[in-house]
Amino acid sequence: RRSQVNQAFEHFINASPKSPEYLSLYVDNKLRRGLKGATEDEVEEALERAMSLFRYVHEKDVFEKYYKQHLARRLLLARSVSDDAERSMISKLKRECGFQFTSKLEGMFTDIRLSADAMDNFRASLAKRSMSLPIELSVSVLTTGFWPTAAAGNCVLPSEAMLCCDEFKRNEAGYAYLGENLATWGYTTFSVSQDQMMMRQDGAKGKGMHQRR
């Protein structure tokens, strides 16, 4: 009888091609705000409920595509309620589907960690030289292949932003530090304000802040 119930539920879940996307949106909502203030047990229960549904989903690669997009937004905009909850979810996906399924997701976390270390070094270097920038700069260097990609149009940056980018490129504590950890460079992301984000992609002729793979 339980087998029949499982088969019926599996059919129901996969009847809609939107199920992988909706499940990823559910997890995204939980990890952005739904689990704020929750206890460790409550977090675990919510993630396990999501995994119970995930096991029935046939198109797991579609779920992975949407999950990567939602995770990228949470990481770049610092909108995740808990790094521990994020890593717990990835661990569950890894146990369920294997290392290959989560390797890019884990690489995204590594990029964010290395970028944060580089920015700490960069800011310390500026302070040591008693130098200040015209705007607050926060750079995240993202490894090509880990992150979701999108067509990037030409972005004309304000002179103040270009000055900050040039200083970061010249600064051994920032640019060179990451160059030792990441073999290639893709997008340069910097925050202009809390609610606005600009992205610039290097072109084939080397235009932009970093070299591409």
Side-chain angles (χ1 to χ4, degrees):
R1 189 183 187 106
R2 179 179 293 273
S3 176
Q4 292 176 338
V5 171
N6 288 341
Q7 290 176 6
F9 195 76
E10 183 177 357
H11 174 76
F12 167 77
I13 286 290
N14 293 283
S16 170
K18 289 282 191 179
S19 291
E21 180 184 1
Y22 291 157
L23 180 57
S24 180
L25 284 169
Y26 168 78
V27 177
D28 180 58
N29 177 270
K30 289 295 183 182
L31 292 176
R32 277 191 297 112
R33 55 176 178 265
L35 295 176
K36 188 174 182 178
T39 65
E40 185 175 341
D41 289 342
E42 289 170 338
V43 170
E44 184 69 16
E45 181 182 355
L47 298 184
E48 276 300 328
R49 282 201 298 265
M51 289 302 301
S52 295
L53 294 176
F54 175 76
R55 294 183 182 100
Y56 288 104
V57 172
H58 290 167
E59 302 293 338
K60 289 181 169 56
D61 56 333
V62 177
F63 172 87
E64 191 264 347
K65 180 187 74 171
Y66 285 110
Y67 192 88
K68 184 192 294 185
Q69 293 174 359
H70 297 146
L71 175 62
R73 190 179 302 118
R74 293 196 299 273
L75 292 179
L76 291 176
L77 300 180
R79 291 183 176 174
S80 180
V81 297
S82 166
D83 283 347
D84 289 340
E86 292 280 5
R87 295 186 183 280
S88 177
M89 184 63 190
I90 290 179
S91 294
K92 293 178 187 300
L93 292 171
K94 187 175 183 178
R95 286 196 299 270
E96 190 69 26
C97 299
F99 170 77
Q100 290 297 325
F101 190 86
T102 60
S103 59
K104 293 180 179 179
L105 304 178
E106 292 174 312
M108 293 164 69
F109 275 95
T110 299
D111 281 352
I112 293 299
R113 177 178 57 80
L114 291 176
S115 295
D117 291 343
M119 287 307 301
D120 288 342
N121 291 343
F122 176 61
R123 293 187 181 106
S125 175
L126 292 179
K128 187 176 181 180
R129 291 180 289 150
S130 300
M131 181 179 178
S132 61
L133 299 177
I135 61 175
E136 183 178 351
L137 180 71
S138 180
V139 177
S140 298
V141 181
L142 316 180
T143 305
T144 303
F146 288 169
W147 297 77
T149 57
N154 292 328
C155 182
V156 179
L157 303 179
S159 58
E160 294 85 355
M162 286 302 301
L163 185 151
C164 294
C165 291
D166 291 341
E167 180 60 31
F168 185 79
K169 286 175 63 176
R170 288 194 299 266
N171 192 282
E172 290 292 317
Y175 184 84
Y177 168 80
L178 277 173
E180 294 174 1
N181 290 274
L182 297 177
T184 59
W185 301 75
Y187 292 92
T188 299
T189 305
F190 60 93
S191 296
V192 177
S193 69
Q194 189 172 12
D195 299 316
Q196 183 180 11
M197 181 175 70
M198 289 186 178
M199 298 185 74
R200 179 169 180 170
Q201 184 181 24
D202 299 342
K205 297 182 179 178
K207 179 182 178 182
M209 184 171 172
H210 305 298
Q211 297 177 349
R212 286 179 57 80
R213 192 189 304 259

